[in-house]
Amino acid sequence: MTQEPKVRLRDLYKIFGAKDKEVLHHVKAGMSKEELLVDHRHVLGLQDINVDMQAGEITVVMGLSGSGKSTLIRHLNRLIEPTAGEILIDGVDVMGLSETGLRDIRQEKMSMVFQKFALLPHRTVLQNAGMALAVRGVDAATIDTEARKWLDRVGLQGFENHYPAQLSGGMQQRVGIARALTANTDIMLMDEAFSALDPLIRTDMQNLLLELQDELHKTIIFITHDLDEALKLADHLVILKDGAVVQQGEPQGILMNPSDPYIEDFVSDINRARVLRVKSVMEPLNGKKFAGDVAIGDNLESLIARSEGDTTLHYRVMDGDTPVGELHMKDLVKALVPRLSSTHTE
Amino acid sequence: MAFYDGIFNTLGLRNWCGEGASEAPMSMADLLAKSSGEATKEEFFPFPSLDNLSESCAGIIQSRDVTKGIENGFLAAKPGLKTVLDPITQPLSWLLDGALWVFATTPWFIMVPILVAISWWASRSKPVTIFVFAAIMLMGLVDHYDVAMQTLSIIFVCTGISILLGVPIGIAMSKSDRLQRSVVPILDLLQTLPTFVYLIPLIFLFSVTESKLYGIAIILYAIVPVVRLTDLGIRLVDQDVIEAANAFGMNSRQKLIGVELPLALPNIMAGINQTIMMSLAMVVIASLVSAPGLGVNVLRGIRNLELGVGIVAGIGIVLLAVILDRVSKAALTRVDMTRVKH
Ligand SMILES: Nc1ncnc2c1ncn2[C@@H]1O[C@H](COP(=O)(O)OP(=O)(O)OP(=O)(O)O)[C@@H](O)[C@H]1O
Ligand SMILES: [Mg+2]
C-alpha cells in the first residue's frame, strides 16, 4: 500500500448551520456535539476526519444512525460543502474545482448508488442504466450497448423496457448498481445501498458486489450500519461515532483488537466464527504434523466443521499454492471469545 | 347648521375651512334627497364621513372627489400605459380574432372530427371521446354549434397563453424563494379579486371593441393555478432523485428537462386542468365586455328575461365544461400512469 491513495480526506470538519465557520474553533477546542447544539444551535456533522481510501479496495464506513456516514460520503462528490478540510481525489483537491470542473469529476470519476434507489420513475430500466452516459452526451448506440451489458451483468436481462415501479426493491437496486457500473467510473459511492432490502436479497447483492469487484477492482466507498455487512465487504473499515472516526483499519484487526468500548459493544454480538478468517488467527509456519491444508481466506466456521470440533488438530495454511503459516485449533477456539475490556469483565 | 360645525370651531380651524359650506357643490346625499323631494333630515349623530364633514367645512373634500380623483389618475396614466401595453398585447387580439375566424370558417364536418381526434389523442379513452362527439353534436342540434365554437376558440387561445407564460413563471418561482415570496401575494390577489372587478381597469385601458380586453381578463384570472402548481410540482420532486441527478453531474438544464419537469408533470397537468376550467368560467363573464360565445346568450337570457335562451346556453356551458374537464383529467391520469405502471 505504498501507492498514493485514490481518495484522501484531510482534517475534514462539517458543521451544519449558518455560522459554521465561526463556531469551528469551539469544535477544534473539543466541544461536544450536544454542547454545540445547545450553546450555539449548530449541528456537528463531522469532526477531524482523516481517511485514506486505496484504489481497488472497498472502504466501508460504519456507524450508528446519525453518526455522519451519509454526510461523509456526500463530501466526496461535494453534494455537501465541508466547513473545513481537504478532499483529495487522485491528488486533486475537490474544493478547488469550478462548477464545471466539479460536474466533470461527478460525471467521469464517481458514480453513486443510493439507499432509496433514486431511479428516474418516468424512464425505463434501460434508460436509467444509461443515465450517466446520457448526461455526458455519449451517442445513443453506445449507451444502449453499455447499459444492456451491465444490466445483463447484474441479472436483469429481459427487463430493459420495464419501468422502475414494476420491479421489486432488489431488482431496482440492481438497476441502481447497473447505472453506476455503466458510468464506468473508478470510484463508486454506495450509501446504505443494501439497507432497504430484505436479508436474503441483501446477501445476494453483497455477493454480487464482491463478484463484480473481483473483476473490476473499483474503489468502492460503502456505507452501512450493519457490522456483518461491513465485515463481509470491507478491505478497510472506518468506524464513525458522533461524526468522528473511532477506529479504522483492516476489519479482522479491528475485530481482534477493538480500541474502544464502543467498538467492543459493536463487535460483541456478531458471529465471530463466520466473520473471522484463518489469516487473523494463524501463526508463523513451524513445521509440525498437519491434519490438512486450509486456505488463508477460509472463515473459522468452515474449519470447525472440518475438524468436527477436535481442538487438538493443527492445519497448514496455504495462500494459493504456497504454505504461509499454521493454525492451531486451540487458538481458533480462543479467538471465538470476544476480548472484553476490564470495565466489562470485572 | 351642520353637526360637525362645533368641532371645527373649537379646533380653531374655521379660517382654514373657509366661511360656510354654501359654495361647495351639493353632496351626493343632498342631491338624492332633493331629487326625491324630501327635506334633508338632520341625523342625531351622523357618521363622520367626508360628505358630512365637508358640510361643516368647505376645506374638506367630498367623497365624489375621491372617485373623481381616481378616475382622473387613471385617465392621466392611460396614455403612458397604453403606449407600453398596446404593442405587447396586440398579438393577443390577433390570436383571438384569428382563432375565432378559424373556428368559424372551418366547416363543422371537418371541425368535429378534429376535435374528436384531439380528445382521443389527449385522453386515449373511448368513453371520453364518444362523450365529446355526442356533446358537440347535441349542441349543434339546438343550433348552438357556432357560439360553442366561439367560446372554445377563446378558451384554446387563453389557456395556451396561460400555459406558455405560467409554466416558466412557475419554474422561476420554484428556483427562487425570493421570487416565490413576491409572486404569491399577486397570485392570491388575482384569485380573490371578484371577477367583475378585473374588468374595470381593463375597460379604461382598452376599448371594448378590442378582443384583447377580454383576453387579458381571462388570462389574468386563469393563469394562477398553472403557475402555482408548476412551482409546487417542482418543489415536491423527490429530493433523492434530484440528489442522484446531481451526483451524476447533470447541469441545471438537464435536471430541469430530464428530471424536474417530467416528475412535476402530473401537478402541472392538474394546474392546466384548473386553468382551462377557470378560462371557461371567465369567458362567460367576459361576455359583459363583448366576448362572443355562449356567455352572450346567457347574458341575453338575464337581460331580456328569455329563460329558455339562458338555460340552453347554460347547459351548453356545462357540456363544454364537462368535455374540457374529462379530456384534461384523462390526459392527467395518463401521464400519471407512466410513472407507476403496474
Ligand atoms: N442538512 C442538515 N442540517 C442539519 N443537520 C444535519 C443535516 N444533515 C445531517 N445533519 C445531522 O448530521 C448528523 C449526521 O447525519 P447523517 O445523515 O450523516 O447520519 P447517518 O450516519 O447517515 O445516519 P443514518 O444511518 O440514519 O442515515 C445527524 O445528527 C443529522 O441530524
Ligand atoms: Mg444516512
Side-chain angles (χ1 to χ4, degrees), chain B:
Chain B
M1 183 65 183
F3 180 83
Y4 288 101
D5 282 0
I7 293 180
F8 289 105
N9 290 338
T10 45
L11 286 174
L13 291 170
R14 183 47 53 202
N15 284 337
W16 173 80
C17 281
E19 225 13 81
S22 47
E23 320 108 72
M26 239 183 270
S27 76
M28 193 64 90
D30 293 340
L31 219 61
L32 281 174
K34 194 173 155 195
S35 64
S36 63
E38 284 173 30
T40 329
K41 242 186 268 147
E42 251 339 292
E43 270 184 80
F44 166 65
F45 181 20
F47 188 89
S49 68
L50 287 177
D51 281 355
N52 287 333
L53 289 175
S54 82
E55 252 172 50
S56 311
C57 170
I60 287 178
I61 56 165
Q62 293 181 339
S63 286
R64 70 160 165 223
D65 295 323
V66 175
T67 47
K68 188 89 193 146
I70 290 174
E71 190 175 321
N72 287 338
F74 253 102
L75 286 176
K78 182 176 167 177
L81 275 173
K82 250 184 113 62
T83 44
V84 180
L85 288 179
D86 250 348
I88 301 176
T89 53
Q90 196 50 45
L92 182 59
S93 281
W94 296 332
L95 270 176
L96 284 166
D97 295 339
L100 281 168
W101 181 81
V102 167
F103 274 71
T105 48
T106 312
W108 69 272
F109 49 85
I110 297 178
M111 201 64 210
V112 175
I114 290 177
L115 290 176
V116 169
I118 292 177
S119 349
W120 170 250
W121 171 80
S123 66
R124 295 290 150 81
S125 151
K126 262 191 210 130
V128 169
T129 314
I130 292 170
F131 177 77
V132 169
F133 177 72
I136 297 176
M137 294 315 270
L138 186 66
M139 282 190 273
L141 193 68
V142 291
D143 280 296
H144 274 59
Y145 172 82
D146 289 333
V147 272
M149 286 305 118
Q150 287 171 342
T151 301
L152 206 55
S153 65
I154 296 172
I155 291 175
F156 273 10
V157 170
C158 293
T159 312
I161 293 175
S162 295
I163 295 168
L164 239 48
L165 297 176
V167 170
I169 295 174
I171 292 171
M173 277 168 71
S174 71
K175 300 288 167 199
S176 152
D177 287 341
R178 262 241 310 274
L179 187 67
Q180 194 203 31
R181 270 199 302 276
S182 51
V183 172
V184 164
I186 301 176
L187 296 180
D188 289 341
L189 179 77
L190 287 176
Q191 215 165 28
T192 47
L193 217 56
T195 40
F196 292 108
V197 179
Y198 279 72
L199 300 176
I200 294 171
L202 291 173
I203 291 171
F204 262 96
L205 281 175
F206 306 106
S207 84
V208 186
T209 52
E210 287 174 299
S211 332
K212 62 184 171 191
L213 168 57
Y214 61 81
I216 293 172
I218 296 169
I219 290 169
L220 280 179
Y221 186 62
I223 201 172
V224 178
V226 71
V227 173
R228 270 195 214 280
L229 280 152
T230 303
D231 172 43
L232 184 75
I234 291 180
R235 282 173 189 265
L236 286 183
V237 168
D238 187 354
Q239 282 312 303
D240 292 327
V241 180
I242 295 293
E243 188 170 53
N246 283 328
F248 282 98
M250 282 195 186
N251 60 30
S252 36
R253 196 179 50 83
Q254 287 170 320
K255 235 177 352 194
L256 183 69
I257 294 172
V259 181
E260 290 169 325
L261 282 181
L263 295 199
L265 195 58
N267 270 319
I268 298 176
M269 293 287 288
I272 293 175
N273 169 271
Q274 286 185 34
T275 289
I276 294 175
M277 301 320 288
M278 290 174 74
S279 307
L280 178 65
M282 194 65 184
V283 78
V284 174
I285 290 167
S287 58
L288 281 173
V289 287
S290 79
L294 290 163
V296 176
N297 287 13
V298 175
L299 210 60
R300 204 174 103 199
I302 297 172
R303 259 203 304 247
N304 308 352
L305 286 178
E306 295 179 45
L307 187 64
V309 175
I311 286 179
V312 170
I315 292 173
I317 290 167
V318 171
L319 279 179
L320 267 192
V322 177
I323 288 177
L324 292 167
D325 187 54
R326 286 296 116 192
V327 173
S328 53
K329 282 251 177 68
L332 168 65
T333 42
R334 196 161 63 84
V335 299
D336 237 349
M337 286 295 281
T338 48
R339 300 183 75 192
V340 197
K341 214 188 278 165
H342 282 289

Side-chain angles (χ1 to χ4, degrees), chain A residues 69-173:
Chain A
K69 308 180 295 291
S70 299
T71 310
L72 177 74
I73 201 168
R74 275 163 183 66
H75 275 85
L76 301 184
N77 53 4
R78 255 177 84 188
L79 288 174
I80 296 179
E81 296 284 325
T83 301
E86 284 179 3
I87 303 152
L88 300 161
I89 298 204
D90 288 328
V92 177
D93 189 356
V94 179
M95 291 312 296
L97 292 174
S98 65
E99 201 179 316
T100 39
L102 181 63
R103 266 211 307 275
D104 284 346
I105 73 152
R106 284 176 180 176
Q107 288 178 9
E108 312 278 341
K109 285 226 163 120
M110 287 184 275
S111 49
M112 198 160 177
V113 183
F114 298 86
Q115 177 171 6
K116 291 182 199 141
F117 322 135
L119 302 173
L120 299 180
H122 61 296
R123 299 275 173 84
T124 61
V125 165
L126 187 66
Q127 289 169 325
N128 265 292
M131 173 177 150
L133 295 184
V135 171
R136 269 183 235 166
V138 175
D139 67 284
T142 318
I143 296 179
D144 194 85
T145 44
E146 281 295 299
R148 276 178 201 280
K149 178 174 107 189
W150 290 111
L151 283 172
D152 282 2
R153 192 66 193 76
V154 299
L156 281 179
Q157 52 275 64
F159 289 95
E160 286 87 352
N161 295 319
H162 285 58
Y163 285 88
Q166 296 170 302
L167 306 183
S168 70
M171 289 159 92
Q172 289 189 41
Q173 194 57 300

Side-chain angles (χ1 to χ4, degrees), chain A residues 21-281:
Chain A
K21 297 239 158 47
E22 287 158 45
V23 297
L24 178 64
H25 68 272
H26 294 302
V27 176
K28 285 195 166 166
M31 185 178 267
S32 77
K33 184 169 176 164
E34 286 72 31
E35 284 173 305
L36 188 74
L37 184 62
V38 172
D39 297 352
H40 300 279
R41 311 232 143 265
H42 278 58
V43 179
L44 180 53
L46 292 174
Q47 53 177 320
D48 195 20
I49 304 284
N50 285 285
V51 179
D52 289 348
M53 301 172 186
Q54 305 296 337
E57 286 196 345
I58 301 183
T59 301
V60 174
V61 179
M62 198 192 66
L64 297 176
S65 193
S67 56
K69 308 180 295 291
S70 299
T71 310
L72 177 74
I73 201 168
R74 275 163 183 66
H75 275 85
L76 301 184
N77 53 4
R78 255 177 84 188
L79 288 174
I80 296 179
E81 296 284 325
T83 301
E86 284 179 3
I87 303 152
L88 300 161
I89 298 204
D90 288 328
V92 177
D93 189 356
V94 179
M95 291 312 296
L97 292 174
S98 65
E99 201 179 316
T100 39
L102 181 63
R103 266 211 307 275
D104 284 346
I105 73 152
R106 284 176 180 176
Q107 288 178 9
E108 312 278 341
K109 285 226 163 120
M110 287 184 275
S111 49
M112 198 160 177
V113 183
F114 298 86
Q115 177 171 6
K116 291 182 199 141
F117 322 135
L119 302 173
L120 299 180
H122 61 296
R123 299 275 173 84
T124 61
V125 165
L126 187 66
Q127 289 169 325
N128 265 292
M131 173 177 150
L133 295 184
V135 171
R136 269 183 235 166
V138 175
D139 67 284
T142 318
I143 296 179
D144 194 85
T145 44
E146 281 295 299
R148 276 178 201 280
K149 178 174 107 189
W150 290 111
L151 283 172
D152 282 2
R153 192 66 193 76
V154 299
L156 281 179
Q157 52 275 64
F159 289 95
E160 286 87 352
N161 295 319
H162 285 58
Y163 285 88
Q166 296 170 302
L167 306 183
S168 70
M171 289 159 92
Q172 289 189 41
Q173 194 57 300
R174 282 170 197 263
V175 180
I177 292 175
R179 172 169 74 176
L181 291 171
T182 309
N184 193 22
T185 55
D186 296 344
I187 303 173
M188 253 171 89
L189 309 175
M190 306 180 77
D191 185 7
E192 306 216 24
F194 304 151
S195 299
L197 307 175
D198 61 59
L200 278 180
I201 307 221
R202 197 164 167 171
T203 314
D204 268 2
M205 300 295 282
Q206 291 162 357
N207 294 338
L208 174 71
L209 182 68
L210 287 173
E211 205 182 296
L212 288 165
Q213 174 65 353
D214 258 356
E215 219 173 283
L216 305 170
H217 304 293
K218 296 201 179 272
T219 308
I220 297 177
I221 292 93
F222 191 100
I223 303 284
T224 180
H225 57 243
D226 180 55
L227 184 64
D228 285 310
E229 185 168 69
L231 293 169
K232 181 167 177 183
L233 299 176
D235 295 311
H236 184 79
L237 180 59
V238 179
I239 297 180
L240 276 186
K241 181 192 175 189
D242 289 344
V245 174
V246 267
Q247 190 172 10
Q248 60 174 317
E250 207 245 338
Q252 305 265 316
I254 293 180
L255 210 54
M256 299 299 286
N257 300 299
S259 73
D260 182 87
Y262 174 73
I263 298 173
E264 280 172 17
D265 265 355
F266 240 129
V267 301
S268 63
D269 44 276
I270 57 154
N271 183 346
R272 294 168 71 86
R274 186 169 299 162
V275 172
L276 284 176
R277 301 187 182 272
V278 168
K279 194 169 126 191
S280 313
V281 283

